[in-house]
Amino acid sequence: MAAAPAVSAALEVRGLRVRFGAADVVAGLDLDLPAGTVTGLIGPNGAGKTTALEAISGLVAAAGGTIRLAGAPIERLAPHRRARLGLARTFQSQELFEDLTVAENLALAGGSATDDRLPSELTHAERLALAMDRAVAGRPTVLLLDEPAAGLDDAGRAALILRLRDLAARGTAVLLVDHDMRLVLDVCDRVSVLDAGRVIAEGPPADVRADPSVVAAYLGGTPAAERAGARLARPPAPAVLTARGLSAGHAGVPVVHDVHLTVGAGEVVALLGLNGAGRTTTVLALAGVLARMAGAVDVLGERAASPHRLARRGLAVVRQGQAPFAGLTVGEHLRLVADSKAALDRLPALRPLLDRQATVLSGGEQRMLALALALATRPKLLIVDELSLGLAPQVVESLLRTVRTIAEEDGAGVLLVEQHVHLALAVADRGYVMERGRITAEGPPAEIARAGLLPI
């Protein structure tokens, strides 16, 4: 008796490449999404996960590779034609039509509802649910999800798991991109791990979670317990930043709750956690950019001051995703600030780039420029949000050593918001762990590293 023919995957991706400039952001990705399964696609910031979704859905051009939906090639089709063939997706930013009601948002995708509220009137969890409702309204055969659990509480996460299992039970092939490792372990049948655009591990969730290459990609290669344990405990220093009971969020929806933290002069403090934990919201609230819903924050002796006043007092912030001014060279950027010579002394790799347009720099060079602009102000308090974003670990390590030097030689307090955990802990005096908007652990770096307190 002849063997039954193999059932092809609902979505097959082979050798997918996406190039931005000279860099391969996605470098030869292979994926198989069988019908009725949930596949996880995980990796650190900048690994290429969202870019892979963009290429599969047709929103960025692939430099190479094939994409087959139900066996038919779709890599040359426009996004709307891929959608009509059964490919749907959600976005990190939800991409809702804010001037249309919930019912109207769903009607555009072929769904129905009687809810006349605008998206701005919904809770964060309801907005995420609406984005997914719209994506599945056309009964897709393949659903791509980008961070659907970001900012959800335990109840919202449990509801999402039930929904994903229901979709799979109905035959939908789901590709899930999310940093919530507990969610991935709970709901996925298989997991692929990206790092620098390449798959470094794949298989059942439990096997992938224990893979040393996965641990290294998320946490960095050198154990922080070994590197930070040798650093002597610092005597207490005057606080340059204190938060007590801080709560903050967006559109009236709290994202961080009851945060307590301090940073002393000459001290490097790491704020650790995964995407969606609330770290960037915390940074915006500490810097006075985002209104606080509750609690008190003292920055360099100022309470409830404007960002401009805090900057004049000595606060400098290196933001996540900070982009240079179009049309200006590196040298022209540095001439806008007070002490460019000191910044170049600390970051000499920028000297050969002074005449180059800043917008054509590599990602690592742009992050270096952003740090140089902050250092040129001679800050008393430096907040750095995701210095490692999209960078190779060796570049991150070099920049973090510079940050450590600023604390030790200039006496600046540093709050380091990082996902490259082991690299951050290797230069930190203390660390806080944030999960789902709350501080869940704090202590010396070696203690945090040894205790396995990080939510991954």
Side-chain angles (χ1 to χ4, degrees):
M1 180 177 177
V7 178
S8 63
L11 181 74
E12 302 172 37
V13 178
R14 292 291 180 272
L16 183 66
R17 290 184 177 274
V18 179
R19 172 166 288 188
F20 294 150
D24 278 331
V25 180
V26 178
L29 175 64
D30 294 336
L31 283 175
D32 286 295
L33 303 186
T37 64
V38 181
T39 301
L41 183 63
I42 65 172
N45 274 359
K49 305 181 299 296
T50 294
T51 301
L53 297 191
E54 303 281 84
I56 293 170
S57 55
L59 296 178
V60 300
T66 60
I67 307 168
R68 292 182 175 272
L69 183 64
I74 64 169
E75 63 270 9
R76 296 184 182 278
L77 299 183
H80 69 278
R81 294 186 62 190
R82 301 185 195 198
R84 288 173 183 167
L85 291 174
L87 181 65
R89 68 163 297 183
T90 64
F91 299 82
Q92 289 186 31
S93 55
Q94 294 139 30
E95 299 293 342
L96 303 175
F97 294 102
E98 300 292 341
D99 56 346
L100 300 182
T101 66
V102 171
E104 290 167 337
N105 267 272
L106 288 174
L108 289 173
S112 62
T114 57
D115 195 328
D116 291 329
R117 290 179 297 169
L118 293 172
S120 61
E121 301 174 68
L122 305 180
T123 67
H124 176 68
E126 288 172 335
R127 288 176 64 89
L128 288 173
L130 174 58
M132 188 175 293
D133 287 343
R134 191 177 60 182
V136 302
R139 300 193 176 186
T141 56
V142 175
L143 176 62
L144 313 178
L145 299 176
D146 198 356
E147 299 287 354
L152 289 181
D153 58 15
D154 287 340
R157 178 179 168 279
L160 175 61
I161 289 174
L162 290 176
R163 184 158 198 190
L164 293 176
R165 287 177 174 159
D166 180 64
L167 285 167
R170 294 170 183 263
T172 307
V174 179
L175 181 60
L176 172 66
V177 170
D178 209 286
H179 279 83
D180 186 333
M181 285 297 293
R182 289 189 298 169
L183 171 71
V184 171
L185 290 171
D186 284 346
V187 80
C188 288
D189 299 289
R190 291 184 67 81
V191 177
S192 291
V193 185
L194 279 185
D195 189 26
R198 291 175 170 81
V199 174
I200 60 171
E202 57 185 334
D207 292 350
V208 167
R209 174 63 181 87
D211 191 301
S213 62
V214 176
V215 175
Y218 270 106
L219 304 182
T222 307
E226 296 176 9
R227 297 173 62 183
R231 185 174 300 125
L232 297 176
R234 295 175 55 88
V240 292
L241 171 64
T242 304
R244 295 179 295 276
L246 172 65
S247 294
H250 307 272
V253 180
V255 175
V256 297
H257 314 268
D258 195 30
V259 170
H260 296 261
L261 61 81
T262 61
V263 178
E267 181 183 40
V268 178
V269 176
L271 179 60
L272 309 169
L274 300 177
N275 270 5
R279 295 164 304 146
T280 294
T281 299
T282 301
V283 166
L284 295 175
L286 293 174
V289 176
L290 185 66
R292 303 150 196 156
M293 296 178 177
V297 175
D298 293 310
V299 179
L300 297 167
E302 295 278 355
R303 179 177 292 187
S306 70
H308 296 92
R309 181 172 176 81
L310 293 178
R312 288 194 293 269
R313 292 279 294 172
L315 170 65
V317 181
V318 178
R319 304 188 312 275
Q320 184 179 151
Q322 185 171 340
F325 294 110
L328 295 186
T329 66
V330 171
E332 289 167 339
H333 273 82
L334 291 171
R335 285 198 288 274
L336 295 174
V337 291
D339 196 347
S340 59
K341 182 181 182 303
L344 287 172
D345 288 343
R346 289 272 164 74
L347 296 166
L350 285 175
R351 289 190 186 277
L353 307 175
L354 291 176
D355 294 329
R356 186 173 299 180
Q357 292 284 322
T359 49
V360 302
L361 298 178
S362 69
E365 291 164 345
Q366 288 192 14
R367 294 305 276 163
M368 197 180 305
L369 175 59
L371 180 58
L373 292 172
L375 299 185
T377 67
R378 293 280 189 172
K380 298 176 183 175
L381 171 61
L382 175 64
I383 300 178
V384 186
D385 190 4
E386 295 290 7
L387 190 63
S388 69
L389 188 61
L391 305 185
Q394 62 268 30
V395 177
V396 178
E397 194 164 7
S398 173
L399 295 181
L400 291 180
R401 283 198 300 268
T402 299
V403 168
R404 181 74 216 174
T405 301
I406 299 307
E408 293 179 346
E409 296 185 0
D410 295 356
V414 179
L415 179 63
L416 190 61
V417 179
E418 255 306 328
Q419 224 174 177
H420 255 295
V421 172
H422 276 198
L423 292 178
L425 290 180
V427 300
D429 297 289
R430 293 186 297 112
Y432 294 90
V433 178
M434 177 170 273
E435 186 176 7
R436 302 181 190 281
R438 299 182 185 276
I439 300 295
T440 57
E442 61 179 289
E447 179 181 313
I448 289 177
R450 280 196 299 263
L453 296 173
L454 294 162
I456 178 174

